[in-house]
Amino acid sequence: MNADISEIQTFDHDVVVIGAGGAGLRAAIECSAQGLNTGMICKSLLGKAHTVMAEGGAAASLGHTDERDNWKVHFRDTIRGGKFLNQWRMAELHAQHAADRVRELEEWGAVFDRTPDGYINQRPFGGHRYPRLAHTGDRTGLEIIRTLQDYGIHQGIHVHQECTALKLLKDSGKISGVFGYWRDTGRFVLFRTKAVIMATGGAGKIWRVTSNSWEYTGDGMEMAYSAGAELIDMEFAQFHPTGMIWPLSVRGILVTEGVRGEGGVLLNSENERFMFNYTPDRFKEETADSPEEAQRWLDGDTSARRPPELLTRDVVAKSIMKEVEAGRGSAHGGAYLDIASRRDGEYIKRKLPSMYHQFKELAEVDITKERMEVGPTLHYMMGGIAVDGDTQMTAVPGLFACGECTGGMHGANRLGGNSLSDLLVFGWLAGKGAKEYVRQLSRPLQIDPDHIEEARRQAVGPLNQEGGENPYLLHEELQNIMNDVNIVRTADGLKRAIDSLEELKPKLANIYAAGSSQYNPGWNQALSMRPMFIVAEAVARAALIREESRGAHTRLDFEGEREEWGNINIMICQNTDGSMDARKVGRNSPPDHLAKIAYSNLEDLEGGVHV
Ligand code: FAD
């Protein structure tokens, strides 16, 4: 029987933004600034998104701390950090517009740390040639989200909190609505809209050890994929080198790269500063080869090269693993991170207040006096929904995406700080893209009642079962499988993972949640399982296809980068029978002006034009 639409609470908007992190908020601000009736949905309370947790800062070539910086150097760093697999146009737009987006935040009231001259201060971070991260202590995300929220609310954005979007609805191939439910009451809700901007963040919960919180189950990637969009670069999932590893209950929680940016060093069990042994050839010209040179760099000597602790995340994470394998790991299987012996206590508390409290409260470690113990933790998805760089539109008319749920911008490895600037730049562009699309729509859009009924039927499936699979246990099984799709991979392990996922599919179809739809965490968990399965399968399939090691993707059976793979992206889409298609797609060569920057000597770019 069809659902009576009039019984389902319904809202009408020109644009619906799914996700209220930095990307969603920036996109929503742009849409409402363009005169669109803008609705924004978020799974939890407004303000509780990953963006608020960001610690280190937003990367932008403001040139305040080192005037040699400019967008071209930022672009070059991003491309080299991404191992030349980034979408050229996205990396160009990002580097060109990041500085203006940060300045704009300041105009809207964001308070960043200052240089002695009163300019926005910038801190060093891995892979960035110059100190580049605009920051507010180690609570930058909080300041950014506070600013965007205040500004957005006053622009008249309609916020729908504690509402989970489940499915996109279409009219003749074009987006026409979103189906979801209120997490507290379990009642369904329908949003009629002309365009959707997906901004749902990452999918870290697929892995056991992660810096991600409960919300990050890949919902947006799955909704877009199920609606006909493509996913790109899914094999690239970033393991941040420094998560907490002890006590076990806090394993995975992030220890910001800002600790190393402020001078912290990594040590093995023999007290050796081991990162000097792991500088890849590609980065030798920009990396210090002695502690003395590294210290001079930190002291502001512009002729010195940056410390090896600030190599890109993929390099540092794998170096820690190698030390552990060689029997030189820390007490609980990681490395020691020491800032206590490098900076005085007051400085540490002022620049890294959250880290100070985090370790004091969760691990009873005083980081102004003792070393931290750290190890890799799943942190960020480089892969995600494929979009056109300029408009952020996907292959589905009316579906836009921005922020961490998209792929392409960061290639095989994201540089720290480039996510906050990514979500500001591409949130802004997605808003512009949506406005242009809505303006050109020639007829009103409809929602087929059968599609609503199908979405409703799927959603209540776990409640209508007579018994079945426990969603929490299924989640654990999924996380076990992902041990084969971890920081290092082999063909055997990846095939095993894909087979195991196939074997689990009947269990997924038989998932069961006891009780009613009201206040039911088991049902919430059950509904997040399909997205996690889809993303897990996409990562495993793409990882099996890429027979090389590049950036965050390490194949023990195919060591090192292979030239032919530098010209290939792996794209994922849904076949008409519902199965997953993963295929290689050739990359376009970069336009001359970008190739010149990417492959140039640094000296040719320094002191260039600031954008
Ligand atoms: P998020 O901020 O993750 O927001 C996603 C939104 O989508 C949330 O509102 C969520 O409720 C909503 N959502 C998800 N699914 C649904 C659904 N089905 N229905 C409705 N709503 C949904 N990056 C940097 O550049 N610099 C840093 O210093 C930095 N530090 C970090 C520290 C930590 C601890 C973490 C976890 C990440 C850090 N990152 C950093 C990464 C960066 O914070 C994130 O990549 C970025 O904030 C993602 O922003 P976003 O807007 O794309 O998504």
Side-chain angles (χ1 to χ4, degrees):
M1 210 180 87
N2 286 346
D4 180 354
I5 302 182
S6 64
E7 281 180 9
I8 295 183
Q9 188 180 18
T10 302
F11 294 90
D12 285 281
H13 294 295
D14 292 324
V15 177
V16 169
V17 179
I18 308 179
L25 278 162
R26 187 60 192 83
I29 286 172
E30 198 57 29
C31 290
S32 66
Q34 308 266 353
L36 301 179
N37 170 339
T38 307
M40 191 164 58
I41 310 173
C42 51
K43 246 178 169 176
S44 52
L45 294 173
L46 183 62
K48 205 224 136 272
H50 260 172
T51 303
V52 84
M53 293 161 75
E55 294 156 355
S61 58
L62 297 159
H64 293 168
T65 312
D66 193 317
E67 61 184 20
R68 290 172 299 175
D69 203 8
N70 60 59
W71 79 264
K72 293 177 184 169
V73 188
H74 192 182
F75 170 83
R76 181 180 184 271
D77 289 345
T78 300
I79 291 285
R80 291 162 75 89
K83 315 295 183 262
F84 295 85
L85 215 66
N86 321 56
Q87 294 300 303
W88 296 96
R89 179 65 178 149
M90 290 181 88
E92 180 185 25
L93 286 165
H94 167 258
Q96 284 180 334
H97 293 287
D100 277 351
R101 301 279 72 78
V102 169
R103 285 189 204 103
E104 175 182 75
L105 277 184
E106 195 184 29
E107 280 166 26
W108 294 348
V111 180
F112 292 107
D113 284 8
R114 302 267 141 198
T115 65
D117 301 335
Y119 294 105
I120 294 175
N121 200 355
Q122 297 184 269
R123 103 177 347 141
F125 238 54
H128 292 282
R129 170 70 182 161
Y130 302 117
R132 193 175 275 148
L133 268 68
H135 61 277
T136 309
D138 60 0
R139 293 176 182 147
T140 314
L142 178 63
E143 187 59 13
I144 290 182
I145 211 103
R146 182 194 66 73
T147 306
L148 291 173
Q149 262 176 220
D150 283 359
Y151 194 80
I153 295 303
H154 289 106
Q155 291 248 56
I157 299 166
H158 305 266
V159 181
H160 307 279
Q161 302 183 74
E162 295 196 277
C163 177
T164 295
L166 290 174
K167 199 173 171 71
L168 300 175
L169 304 166
K170 295 192 290 185
D171 174 5
S172 313
K174 292 192 173 83
I175 290 293
S176 61
V178 180
F179 180 82
Y181 73 105
W182 302 109
R183 293 181 74 86
D184 52 355
T185 63
R187 293 180 72 86
F188 293 113
V189 55
L190 181 67
F191 298 91
R192 278 195 287 250
T193 183
K194 299 167 188 162
V196 164
I197 300 178
M198 198 61 83
T200 48
K205 275 304 184 192
I206 291 167
W207 286 271
R208 178 158 293 119
V209 179
T210 177
S211 64
N212 285 199
S213 72
W214 64 268
E215 284 165 84
Y216 297 95
T217 50
D219 302 5
M221 296 178 197
E222 183 276 329
M223 280 186 272
Y225 164 87
S226 298
E230 289 187 305
L231 306 178
I232 184 171
D233 292 345
M234 292 301 284
E235 66 274 36
F236 298 113
Q238 180 166 76
F239 290 82
H240 193 292
T242 58
M244 291 179 84
I245 59 171
W246 194 256
L248 268 187
S249 56
V250 299
R251 196 169 193 133
I253 293 181
L254 194 75
V255 181
T256 175
E257 197 167 321
V259 176
R260 285 170 283 138
E262 296 297 346
V265 296
L266 287 164
L267 303 168
N268 62 20
S269 59
E270 294 166 11
N271 226 15
E272 183 195 6
R273 198 170 160 188
F274 59 85
M275 281 309 301
F276 283 104
N277 307 331
Y278 291 104
T279 305
D281 288 345
R282 174 178 289 153
F283 295 116
K284 283 213 158 111
E285 64 161 325
E286 9 186 300
T287 307
D289 55 15
S290 68
E292 294 72 28
E293 186 184 6
Q295 188 55 46
R296 282 196 283 115
W297 188 86
L298 279 165
D299 293 341
D301 177 347
T302 53
S303 68
R305 294 167 297 174
R306 66 175 176 242
E309 281 83 4
L310 294 179
L311 281 161
T312 54
R313 289 176 175 177
D314 52 326
V315 176
V316 182
K318 278 180 256 177
S319 306
I320 292 175
M321 282 196 60
K322 284 188 181 143
E323 287 299 302
V324 174
E325 277 163 21
R328 296 187 293 267
S330 63
H332 300 98
Y336 295 108
L337 177 58
D338 171 32
I339 187 143
S341 70
R342 328 285 304 176
R343 298 280 189 188
D344 70 60
E346 280 317 303
Y347 182 91
I348 296 170
K349 283 187 199 167
R350 183 161 49 83
K351 294 303 268 187
L352 301 162
S354 300
M355 287 302 104
Y356 174 73
H357 289 292
Q358 183 172 308
F359 273 90
K360 197 95 185 148
E361 281 153 32
L362 300 180
E364 295 181 357
V365 167
D366 180 348
I367 68 169
T368 65
K369 299 196 176 85
E370 301 164 79
R371 302 179 302 184
M372 294 159 254
E373 221 186 319
V374 293
T377 179
L378 189 286
H379 183 56
Y380 183 88
M381 292 295 292
M382 267 76 70
I385 305 164
V387 289
D388 167 71
D390 289 86
T391 62
Q392 297 297 107
M393 191 150 97
T394 68
V396 179
L399 177 59
F400 298 76
C402 53
E404 189 175 340
C405 68
T406 63
M409 156 66 207
H410 304 284
N413 173 63
R414 172 178 72 92
L415 296 187
N418 268 2
S419 172
L420 291 185
S421 41
D422 160 337
L423 55 87
L424 294 172
V425 170
F426 294 111
W428 168 66
L429 287 174
K432 286 188 180 310
K435 151 82 181 170
E436 201 45 38
Y437 172 82
V438 168
R439 195 181 62 78
Q440 288 176 4
L441 271 183
S442 53
R443 64 172 178 85
L445 298 166
Q446 307 297 327
I447 297 179
D448 184 337
D450 287 344
H451 294 171
I452 300 172
E453 172 54 15
E454 192 196 331
R456 193 197 64 82
R457 196 176 39 74
Q458 280 172 0
V460 295
L463 296 169
N464 288 344
Q465 295 259 122
E466 287 291 310
E469 299 299 329
N470 178 320
Y472 296 103
L473 294 181
L474 199 58
H475 188 197
E476 241 182 84
E477 283 191 65
L478 177 68
Q479 290 180 331
N480 287 341
I481 292 173
M482 293 308 280
N483 286 336
D484 276 327
V485 196
N486 222 296
I487 190 163
V488 291
R489 304 151 177 190
T490 62
D492 286 348
L494 292 166
K495 282 182 196 149
R496 193 164 49 234
I498 293 167
D499 290 346
S500 305
L501 286 170
E502 282 301 324
E503 282 164 23
L504 273 194
K505 280 183 184 167
K507 284 195 180 181
L508 182 63
N510 191 32
I511 202 161
Y512 165 67
S516 76
S517 61
Q518 285 180 14
Y519 304 99
N520 188 340
W523 185 48
N524 292 337
Q525 177 72 19
L527 292 177
S528 65
M529 290 312 300
R530 176 179 151 84
M532 284 198 273
F533 264 75
I534 293 292
V535 176
E537 184 177 346
V539 175
R541 287 195 186 280
L544 180 62
I545 293 176
R546 184 170 289 278
E547 294 184 332
E548 66 160 353
S549 295
R550 183 181 293 264
H553 170 67
T554 302
R555 286 283 297 264
L556 293 179
D557 44 354
F558 292 97
E559 280 185 18
E561 288 173 24
R562 312 270 162 121
E563 205 182 324
E564 63 276 20
W565 282 99
N567 298 321
I568 287 168
N569 289 116
I570 296 167
M571 308 295 295
I572 306 269
C573 65
Q574 184 169 241
N575 293 318
T576 45
D577 66 0
S579 61
M580 185 176 284
D581 180 56
R583 66 184 196 288
K584 299 192 247 175
V585 172
R587 286 164 59 75
N588 291 333
S589 303
D592 285 349
H593 71 286
L594 294 184
K596 231 166 153 175
I597 303 173
Y599 300 105
S600 62
N601 290 324
L602 264 175
E603 294 67 39
D604 300 337
L605 304 178
E606 289 169 346
V609 184
H610 289 258
V611 174

